[in-house]
Amino acid sequence: EAQVTQNPRYLITVTGKKLTVTCSQNMNHEYMSWYRQDPGLGLRQIYYSMNVEVTDKGDVPEGYKVSRKEKRNFPLILESPSPNQTSLYFCASSTPGQVGSPLHFGNGTRLTVT
Amino acid sequence: GENVEQHPSTLSVQEGDSAVIKCTYSDSASNYFPWYKQELGKRPQLIIDIRSNVGEKKDQRIAVTLNKTAKHFSLHITETQPEDSAVYFCAAVETSYDKVIFGPGTSLSVIP
């Protein structure tokens, strides 16, 4: 089944404790991205990647890191989480091209930083 | 910066009535316009999309219209049902995916 898999679904941590949220897709998509969703603010892009070893900042990259060592994986790293990073996070993937392809979203990771 | 405006932010309709959500974008390079539905606690999922060379597209009870000159696109849902209750997001996309801009979302409630 074609899908984007995120783990974990729920995560509670404390300020300053490094964490990684994993994202993997099995559709051979070149494009992958991370979004955070907060009430009233919609979906805001954190980082995106157009292909292996190519990553770029989105609208709200501060406090986050990503890597794209393999095409299928795009982990989100919070080196020193803070309470303002408490949010719902989505990973998504797609295929860039001339005709336009939709984003496929993972099931989300609800992160709470205390 | 580039942005997408979406109206209304909340919409309440009686079952069987129609619902219309409107978006306006600013990036002239946008050429792909998907709509996503997000049910409570779930991920956004594509419900319909339209490309810049098309003015209208319909899929059963759902239709989308695009006016590239005015930079407007709209989602139309007819004969609404309670299961249509969700948050709907529009997006303006450059198909190279160099830029993806989401609207802030519309919370639709369909009252039985």
Side-chain angles (χ1 to χ4, degrees):
Chain A
E1 180 191 352
Q3 59 185 2
V4 178
T5 304
Q6 278 179 247
N7 280 298
R9 290 292 309 276
Y10 302 92
L11 181 56
I12 301 173
T13 189
V14 296
T15 299
K17 186 176 182 182
K18 179 179 179 179
L19 65 91
T20 299
V21 183
T22 63
C23 175
S24 180
Q25 51 93 6
N26 63 0
M27 295 168 280
N28 201 36
H29 284 165
E30 292 87 0
Y31 178 89
M32 297 186 74
S33 63
W34 278 101
Y35 293 88
R36 61 177 288 174
Q37 186 174 27
D38 303 290
L41 296 178
L43 291 158
R44 294 183 292 168
Q45 191 178 53
I46 303 169
Y47 268 95
Y48 65 98
S49 170
M50 299 299 285
N51 215 323
V52 176
E53 302 292 0
V54 179
T55 63
D56 281 292
K57 295 178 181 179
D59 298 317
V60 288
E62 293 77 21
Y64 305 94
K65 285 175 57 178
V66 293
S67 69
R68 188 90 183 272
K69 294 188 173 67
E70 305 165 284
K71 195 172 188 179
R72 63 183 291 126
N73 296 324
F74 191 45
L76 179 69
I77 303 154
L78 283 72
E79 295 269 3
S80 183
S82 62
N84 65 10
Q85 292 179 299
T86 293
S87 188
L88 178 59
Y89 292 86
F90 287 101
C91 178
S93 71
S94 186
T95 300
Q98 293 186 351
V99 298
S101 299
L103 286 168
H104 298 258
F105 285 87
N107 283 327
T109 296
R110 187 167 291 282
L111 172 65
T112 301
V113 183
T114 61
Chain B
E2 310 292 358
N3 73 321
V4 173
E5 295 181 0
Q6 183 172 347
H7 298 281
S9 57
T10 59
L11 179 59
S12 202
V13 300
Q14 291 291 135
E15 182 177 358
D17 286 351
S18 295
V20 180
I21 302 170
K22 299 182 178 182
C23 288
T24 303
Y25 63 98
S26 59
D27 184 1
S28 300
S30 297
N31 50 8
Y32 172 61
F33 306 92
W35 284 88
Y36 296 89
K37 175 184 180 182
Q38 186 179 26
E39 296 175 358
L40 191 62
K42 297 193 175 180
R43 58 185 171 159
Q45 291 193 285
L46 179 79
I47 54 170
I48 195 166
D49 56 11
I50 192 166
R51 292 164 178 91
S52 59
N53 58 346
V54 175
E56 184 173 356
K57 182 177 178 180
K58 190 173 182 181
D59 183 3
Q60 299 182 350
R61 296 186 297 108
I62 295 174
V64 58
T65 58
L66 171 65
N67 182 332
K68 272 218 89 174
T69 303
K71 297 182 182 172
H72 291 166
F73 58 114
S74 299
L75 178 70
H76 305 253
I77 306 174
T78 59
E79 301 170 21
T80 53
Q81 301 166 3
E83 51 265 38
D84 293 329
S85 295
V87 177
Y88 291 81
F89 292 98
C90 63
V93 183
E94 295 179 35
T95 56
S96 62
Y97 269 97
D98 279 337
K99 193 161 285 184
V100 179
I101 307 171
F102 281 91
T106 295
S107 178
L108 172 64
S109 297
V110 180
I111 304 163

mmCIF file of all heavy atoms in Angstrom, chain B residues 22-55:
data_model
loop_
_atom_site.group_PDB
_atom_site.id
_atom_site.type_symbol
_atom_site.label_atom_id
_atom_site.label_comp_id
_atom_site.label_asym_id
_atom_site.label_seq_id
_atom_site.Cartn_x
_atom_site.Cartn_y
_atom_site.Cartn_z
ATOM 1 N N LYS B 22 -13.903 29.972 -0.741
ATOM 2 C CA LYS B 22 -13.171 30.727 -1.750
ATOM 3 C C LYS B 22 -11.735 30.988 -1.312
ATOM 4 O O LYS B 22 -11.482 31.268 -0.146
ATOM 5 C CB LYS B 22 -13.883 32.055 -2.019
ATOM 6 C CG LYS B 22 -15.290 31.874 -2.556
ATOM 7 C CD LYS B 22 -15.960 33.203 -2.849
ATOM 8 C CE LYS B 22 -17.346 32.973 -3.429
ATOM 9 N NZ LYS B 22 -18.027 34.246 -3.782
ATOM 10 N N CYS B 23 -10.834 30.916 -2.281
ATOM 11 C CA CYS B 23 -9.414 31.201 -2.021
ATOM 12 C C CYS B 23 -8.881 32.187 -3.051
ATOM 13 O O CYS B 23 -9.296 32.159 -4.220
ATOM 14 C CB CYS B 23 -8.591 29.923 -2.057
ATOM 15 S SG CYS B 23 -8.885 28.863 -0.625
ATOM 16 N N THR B 24 -7.977 33.021 -2.594
ATOM 17 C CA THR B 24 -7.283 33.973 -3.460
ATOM 18 C C THR B 24 -5.789 33.821 -3.227
ATOM 19 O O THR B 24 -5.346 33.773 -2.076
ATOM 20 C CB THR B 24 -7.706 35.416 -3.134
ATOM 21 O OG1 THR B 24 -9.114 35.537 -3.252
ATOM 22 C CG2 THR B 24 -7.032 36.398 -4.066
ATOM 23 N N TYR B 25 -5.021 33.743 -4.318
ATOM 24 C CA TYR B 25 -3.591 33.560 -4.177
ATOM 25 C C TYR B 25 -2.852 34.733 -4.796
ATOM 26 O O TYR B 25 -3.413 35.496 -5.590
ATOM 27 C CB TYR B 25 -3.142 32.232 -4.814
ATOM 28 C CG TYR B 25 -3.365 32.139 -6.301
ATOM 29 C CD1 TYR B 25 -2.335 32.390 -7.207
ATOM 30 C CD2 TYR B 25 -4.602 31.759 -6.810
ATOM 31 C CE1 TYR B 25 -2.533 32.277 -8.563
ATOM 32 C CE2 TYR B 25 -4.814 31.654 -8.177
ATOM 33 C CZ TYR B 25 -3.775 31.908 -9.050
ATOM 34 O OH TYR B 25 -3.975 31.805 -10.405
ATOM 35 N N SER B 26 -1.581 34.863 -4.439
ATOM 36 C CA SER B 26 -0.819 36.015 -4.920
ATOM 37 C C SER B 26 0.339 35.624 -5.842
ATOM 38 O O SER B 26 0.804 36.458 -6.626
ATOM 39 C CB SER B 26 -0.273 36.812 -3.734
ATOM 40 O OG SER B 26 0.556 36.004 -2.922
ATOM 41 N N ASP B 27 0.809 34.381 -5.759
ATOM 42 C CA ASP B 27 1.969 33.962 -6.536
ATOM 43 C C ASP B 27 1.567 33.646 -7.974
ATOM 44 O O ASP B 27 0.897 32.643 -8.227
ATOM 45 C CB ASP B 27 2.613 32.739 -5.881
ATOM 46 C CG ASP B 27 3.895 32.298 -6.576
ATOM 47 O OD1 ASP B 27 4.308 32.953 -7.553
ATOM 48 O OD2 ASP B 27 4.480 31.292 -6.139
ATOM 49 N N SER B 28 1.978 34.474 -8.915
ATOM 50 C CA SER B 28 1.610 34.273 -10.316
ATOM 51 C C SER B 28 2.158 32.974 -10.899
ATOM 52 O O SER B 28 1.658 32.476 -11.907
ATOM 53 C CB SER B 28 2.128 35.448 -11.159
ATOM 54 O OG SER B 28 1.572 36.652 -10.723
ATOM 55 N N ALA B 29 3.198 32.431 -10.277
ATOM 56 C CA ALA B 29 3.795 31.193 -10.778
ATOM 57 C C ALA B 29 3.008 29.955 -10.366
ATOM 58 O O ALA B 29 3.283 28.855 -10.855
ATOM 59 C CB ALA B 29 5.230 31.078 -10.282
ATOM 60 N N SER B 30 2.042 30.086 -9.491
ATOM 61 C CA SER B 30 1.238 28.934 -9.074
ATOM 62 C C SER B 30 0.454 28.404 -10.258
ATOM 63 O O SER B 30 -0.173 29.169 -10.993
ATOM 64 C CB SER B 30 0.266 29.333 -7.958
ATOM 65 O OG SER B 30 0.960 29.748 -6.812
ATOM 66 N N ASN B 31 0.490 27.092 -10.447
ATOM 67 C CA ASN B 31 -0.219 26.511 -11.583
ATOM 68 C C ASN B 31 -0.928 25.210 -11.241
ATOM 69 O O ASN B 31 -1.373 24.472 -12.130
ATOM 70 C CB ASN B 31 0.734 26.307 -12.773
ATOM 71 C CG ASN B 31 2.004 25.581 -12.371
ATOM 72 O OD1 ASN B 31 2.123 25.098 -11.252
ATOM 73 N ND2 ASN B 31 2.940 25.512 -13.294
ATOM 74 N N TYR B 32 -1.033 24.921 -9.952
ATOM 75 C CA TYR B 32 -1.722 23.702 -9.527
ATOM 76 C C TYR B 32 -2.420 24.032 -8.208
ATOM 77 O O TYR B 32 -1.816 24.619 -7.301
ATOM 78 C CB TYR B 32 -0.698 22.578 -9.350
ATOM 79 C CG TYR B 32 -1.239 21.316 -8.736
ATOM 80 C CD1 TYR B 32 -2.258 20.596 -9.350
ATOM 81 C CD2 TYR B 32 -0.728 20.834 -7.538
ATOM 82 C CE1 TYR B 32 -2.750 19.444 -8.778
ATOM 83 C CE2 TYR B 32 -1.206 19.684 -6.959
ATOM 84 C CZ TYR B 32 -2.218 18.982 -7.580
ATOM 85 O OH TYR B 32 -2.704 17.839 -7.024
ATOM 86 N N PHE B 33 -3.712 23.653 -8.112
ATOM 87 C CA PHE B 33 -4.525 24.120 -6.975
ATOM 88 C C PHE B 33 -5.296 22.942 -6.380
ATOM 89 O O PHE B 33 -6.411 22.619 -6.792
ATOM 90 C CB PHE B 33 -5.477 25.225 -7.448
ATOM 91 C CG PHE B 33 -4.746 26.350 -8.133
ATOM 92 C CD1 PHE B 33 -4.563 26.326 -9.506
ATOM 93 C CD2 PHE B 33 -4.206 27.392 -7.392
ATOM 94 C CE1 PHE B 33 -3.854 27.344 -10.148
ATOM 95 C CE2 PHE B 33 -3.502 28.415 -8.027
ATOM 96 C CZ PHE B 33 -3.325 28.387 -9.401
ATOM 97 N N PRO B 34 -4.712 22.270 -5.382
ATOM 98 C CA PRO B 34 -5.405 21.150 -4.735
ATOM 99 C C PRO B 34 -6.233 21.618 -3.541
ATOM 100 O O PRO B 34 -5.964 22.657 -2.943
ATOM 101 C CB PRO B 34 -4.243 20.269 -4.263
ATOM 102 C CG PRO B 34 -3.125 21.228 -4.012
ATOM 103 C CD PRO B 34 -3.324 22.390 -4.963
ATOM 104 N N TRP B 35 -7.239 20.816 -3.225
ATOM 105 C CA TRP B 35 -8.049 21.025 -2.021
ATOM 106 C C TRP B 35 -7.920 19.770 -1.151
ATOM 107 O O TRP B 35 -8.038 18.652 -1.635
ATOM 108 C CB TRP B 35 -9.513 21.232 -2.380
ATOM 109 C CG TRP B 35 -9.812 22.583 -2.941
ATOM 110 C CD1 TRP B 35 -9.744 22.956 -4.252
ATOM 111 C CD2 TRP B 35 -10.236 23.731 -2.223
ATOM 112 N NE1 TRP B 35 -10.090 24.272 -4.388
ATOM 113 C CE2 TRP B 35 -10.403 24.776 -3.152
ATOM 114 C CE3 TRP B 35 -10.501 24.007 -0.867
ATOM 115 C CZ2 TRP B 35 -10.816 26.063 -2.790
ATOM 116 C CZ3 TRP B 35 -10.915 25.280 -0.502
ATOM 117 C CH2 TRP B 35 -11.069 26.291 -1.458
ATOM 118 N N TYR B 36 -7.706 20.003 0.140
ATOM 119 C CA TYR B 36 -7.546 18.909 1.086
ATOM 120 C C TYR B 36 -8.645 18.984 2.143
ATOM 121 O O TYR B 36 -9.016 20.069 2.583
ATOM 122 C CB TYR B 36 -6.179 18.963 1.777
ATOM 123 C CG TYR B 36 -5.015 18.764 0.831
ATOM 124 C CD1 TYR B 36 -4.435 19.847 0.186
ATOM 125 C CD2 TYR B 36 -4.514 17.488 0.576
ATOM 126 C CE1 TYR B 36 -3.379 19.670 -0.696
ATOM 127 C CE2 TYR B 36 -3.453 17.302 -0.303
ATOM 128 C CZ TYR B 36 -2.891 18.403 -0.936
ATOM 129 O OH TYR B 36 -1.851 18.227 -1.815
ATOM 130 N N LYS B 37 -9.099 17.816 2.553
ATOM 131 C CA LYS B 37 -10.084 17.696 3.625
ATOM 132 C C LYS B 37 -9.411 17.045 4.816
ATOM 133 O O LYS B 37 -8.731 16.020 4.663
ATOM 134 C CB LYS B 37 -11.258 16.837 3.149
ATOM 135 C CG LYS B 37 -12.299 16.530 4.216
ATOM 136 C CD LYS B 37 -13.363 15.590 3.646
ATOM 137 C CE LYS B 37 -14.421 15.245 4.680
ATOM 138 N NZ LYS B 37 -15.426 14.281 4.139
ATOM 139 N N GLN B 38 -9.594 17.644 5.994
ATOM 140 C CA GLN B 38 -9.006 17.075 7.188
ATOM 141 C C GLN B 38 -10.090 16.842 8.229
ATOM 142 O O GLN B 38 -10.637 17.786 8.808
ATOM 143 C CB GLN B 38 -7.923 17.988 7.777
ATOM 144 C CG GLN B 38 -7.183 17.366 8.944
ATOM 145 C CD GLN B 38 -6.098 18.267 9.501
ATOM 146 O OE1 GLN B 38 -6.155 19.489 9.380
ATOM 147 N NE2 GLN B 38 -5.081 17.668 10.116
ATOM 148 N N GLU B 39 -10.411 15.593 8.454
ATOM 149 C CA GLU B 39 -11.362 15.250 9.499
ATOM 150 C C GLU B 39 -10.659 15.318 10.846
ATOM 151 O O GLU B 39 -9.429 15.236 10.926
ATOM 152 C CB GLU B 39 -11.947 13.863 9.233
ATOM 153 C CG GLU B 39 -12.751 13.829 7.935
ATOM 154 C CD GLU B 39 -13.252 12.435 7.588
ATOM 155 O OE1 GLU B 39 -12.941 11.486 8.329
ATOM 156 O OE2 GLU B 39 -13.957 12.307 6.580
ATOM 157 N N LEU B 40 -11.459 15.459 11.886
ATOM 158 C CA LEU B 40 -10.911 15.670 13.223
ATOM 159 C C LEU B 40 -9.941 14.560 13.611
ATOM 160 O O LEU B 40 -10.291 13.382 13.560
ATOM 161 C CB LEU B 40 -12.056 15.747 14.235
ATOM 162 C CG LEU B 40 -11.674 16.230 15.629
ATOM 163 C CD1 LEU B 40 -11.141 17.653 15.575
ATOM 164 C CD2 LEU B 40 -12.879 16.150 16.569
ATOM 165 N N GLY B 41 -8.723 14.939 13.968
ATOM 166 C CA GLY B 41 -7.723 13.982 14.418
ATOM 167 C C GLY B 41 -7.048 13.187 13.321
ATOM 168 O O GLY B 41 -6.291 12.252 13.598
ATOM 169 N N LYS B 42 -7.324 13.553 12.063
ATOM 170 C CA LYS B 42 -6.753 12.783 10.953
ATOM 171 C C LYS B 42 -5.872 13.656 10.070
ATOM 172 O O LYS B 42 -5.751 14.865 10.263
ATOM 173 C CB LYS B 42 -7.876 12.147 10.145
ATOM 174 C CG LYS B 42 -8.692 11.135 10.951
ATOM 175 C CD LYS B 42 -9.581 10.299 10.076
ATOM 176 C CE LYS B 42 -10.282 9.228 10.899
ATOM 177 N NZ LYS B 42 -11.171 8.375 10.067
ATOM 178 N N ARG B 43 -5.251 13.029 9.107
ATOM 179 C CA ARG B 43 -4.356 13.752 8.204
ATOM 180 C C ARG B 43 -5.160 14.422 7.089
ATOM 181 O O ARG B 43 -6.246 13.975 6.734
ATOM 182 C CB ARG B 43 -3.372 12.755 7.576
ATOM 183 C CG ARG B 43 -4.069 11.659 6.819
ATOM 184 C CD ARG B 43 -3.102 10.622 6.303
ATOM 185 N NE ARG B 43 -3.815 9.469 5.762
ATOM 186 C CZ ARG B 43 -3.317 8.608 4.909
ATOM 187 N NH1 ARG B 43 -2.088 8.754 4.483
ATOM 188 N NH2 ARG B 43 -4.035 7.591 4.483
ATOM 189 N N PRO B 44 -4.615 15.489 6.504
ATOM 190 C CA PRO B 44 -5.260 16.079 5.318
ATOM 191 C C PRO B 44 -5.211 15.089 4.155
ATOM 192 O O PRO B 44 -4.213 14.411 3.941
ATOM 193 C CB PRO B 44 -4.380 17.300 5.023
ATOM 194 C CG PRO B 44 -3.645 17.576 6.282
ATOM 195 C CD PRO B 44 -3.430 16.252 6.932
ATOM 196 N N GLN B 45 -6.311 15.034 3.413
ATOM 197 C CA GLN B 45 -6.365 14.154 2.246
ATOM 198 C C GLN B 45 -6.940 14.919 1.063
ATOM 199 O O GLN B 45 -7.899 15.681 1.210
ATOM 200 C CB GLN B 45 -7.206 12.912 2.539
ATOM 201 C CG GLN B 45 -6.538 11.979 3.546
ATOM 202 C CD GLN B 45 -7.193 10.617 3.615
ATOM 203 O OE1 GLN B 45 -8.256 10.495 4.191
ATOM 204 N NE2 GLN B 45 -6.579 9.606 3.027
ATOM 205 N N LEU B 46 -6.371 14.679 -0.104
ATOM 206 C CA LEU B 46 -6.820 15.348 -1.319
ATOM 207 C C LEU B 46 -8.257 14.951 -1.639
ATOM 208 O O LEU B 46 -8.613 13.774 -1.615
ATOM 209 C CB LEU B 46 -5.923 14.957 -2.480
ATOM 210 C CG LEU B 46 -6.292 15.583 -3.829
ATOM 211 C CD1 LEU B 46 -5.799 17.027 -3.890
ATOM 212 C CD2 LEU B 46 -5.727 14.759 -4.977
ATOM 213 N N ILE B 47 -9.094 15.949 -1.953
ATOM 214 C CA ILE B 47 -10.446 15.640 -2.408
ATOM 215 C C ILE B 47 -10.647 16.021 -3.867
ATOM 216 O O ILE B 47 -11.407 15.361 -4.589
ATOM 217 C CB ILE B 47 -11.530 16.316 -1.546
ATOM 218 C CG1 ILE B 47 -11.312 17.826 -1.441
ATOM 219 C CG2 ILE B 47 -11.607 15.669 -0.175
ATOM 220 C CD1 ILE B 47 -12.485 18.563 -0.815
ATOM 221 N N ILE B 48 -9.989 17.050 -4.341
ATOM 222 C CA ILE B 48 -10.085 17.444 -5.730
ATOM 223 C C ILE B 48 -8.956 18.419 -6.019
ATOM 224 O O ILE B 48 -8.432 19.072 -5.108
ATOM 225 C CB ILE B 48 -11.462 18.087 -6.040
ATOM 226 C CG1 ILE B 48 -11.716 18.158 -7.553
ATOM 227 C CG2 ILE B 48 -11.600 19.453 -5.389
ATOM 228 C CD1 ILE B 48 -13.167 18.466 -7.924
ATOM 229 N N ASP B 49 -8.541 18.484 -7.272
ATOM 230 C CA ASP B 49 -7.512 19.448 -7.654
ATOM 231 C C ASP B 49 -7.805 19.969 -9.053
ATOM 232 O O ASP B 49 -8.602 19.387 -9.803
ATOM 233 C CB ASP B 49 -6.111 18.842 -7.565
ATOM 234 C CG ASP B 49 -5.951 17.571 -8.394
ATOM 235 O OD1 ASP B 49 -6.844 17.251 -9.217
ATOM 236 O OD2 ASP B 49 -4.938 16.873 -8.206
ATOM 237 N N ILE B 50 -7.171 21.080 -9.375
ATOM 238 C CA ILE B 50 -7.360 21.668 -10.690
ATOM 239 C C ILE B 50 -6.044 22.261 -11.151
ATOM 240 O O ILE B 50 -5.273 22.797 -10.341
ATOM 241 C CB ILE B 50 -8.496 22.728 -10.676
ATOM 242 C CG1 ILE B 50 -8.880 23.132 -12.097
ATOM 243 C CG2 ILE B 50 -8.111 23.945 -9.836
ATOM 244 C CD1 ILE B 50 -10.192 23.908 -12.180
ATOM 245 N N ARG B 51 -5.782 22.120 -12.424
ATOM 246 C CA ARG B 51 -4.553 22.656 -12.990
ATOM 247 C C ARG B 51 -4.848 23.932 -13.759
ATOM 248 O O ARG B 51 -5.984 24.190 -14.156
ATOM 249 C CB ARG B 51 -3.884 21.591 -13.850
ATOM 250 C CG ARG B 51 -3.378 20.455 -12.967
ATOM 251 C CD ARG B 51 -3.048 19.178 -13.673
ATOM 252 N NE ARG B 51 -2.529 18.196 -12.713
ATOM 253 C CZ ARG B 51 -3.276 17.313 -12.059
ATOM 254 N NH1 ARG B 51 -4.573 17.268 -12.290
ATOM 255 N NH2 ARG B 51 -2.727 16.479 -11.190
ATOM 256 N N SER B 52 -3.818 24.712 -14.011
ATOM 257 C CA SER B 52 -4.032 26.086 -14.458
ATOM 258 C C SER B 52 -4.614 26.180 -15.861
ATOM 259 O O SER B 52 -5.113 27.232 -16.243
ATOM 260 C CB SER B 52 -2.725 26.870 -14.398
ATOM 261 O OG SER B 52 -1.749 26.260 -15.218
ATOM 262 N N ASN B 53 -4.571 25.103 -16.610
ATOM 263 C CA ASN B 53 -5.106 25.160 -17.970
ATOM 264 C C ASN B 53 -6.581 24.756 -18.032
ATOM 265 O O ASN B 53 -7.140 24.591 -19.113
ATOM 266 C CB ASN B 53 -4.288 24.259 -18.897
ATOM 267 C CG ASN B 53 -4.260 22.812 -18.422
ATOM 268 O OD1 ASN B 53 -4.623 22.507 -17.297
ATOM 269 N ND2 ASN B 53 -3.822 21.923 -19.297
ATOM 270 N N VAL B 54 -7.196 24.605 -16.852
ATOM 271 C CA VAL B 54 -8.592 24.182 -16.766
ATOM 272 C C VAL B 54 -9.363 25.196 -15.937
ATOM 273 O O VAL B 54 -8.855 25.693 -14.937
ATOM 274 C CB VAL B 54 -8.694 22.781 -16.121
ATOM 275 C CG1 VAL B 54 -10.141 22.380 -15.917
ATOM 276 C CG2 VAL B 54 -7.954 21.766 -16.962
ATOM 277 N N GLY B 55 -10.603 25.506 -16.328
ATOM 278 C CA GLY B 55 -11.383 26.484 -15.580
ATOM 279 C C GLY B 55 -12.305 25.874 -14.542
ATOM 280 O O GLY B 55 -12.644 26.525 -13.553
#
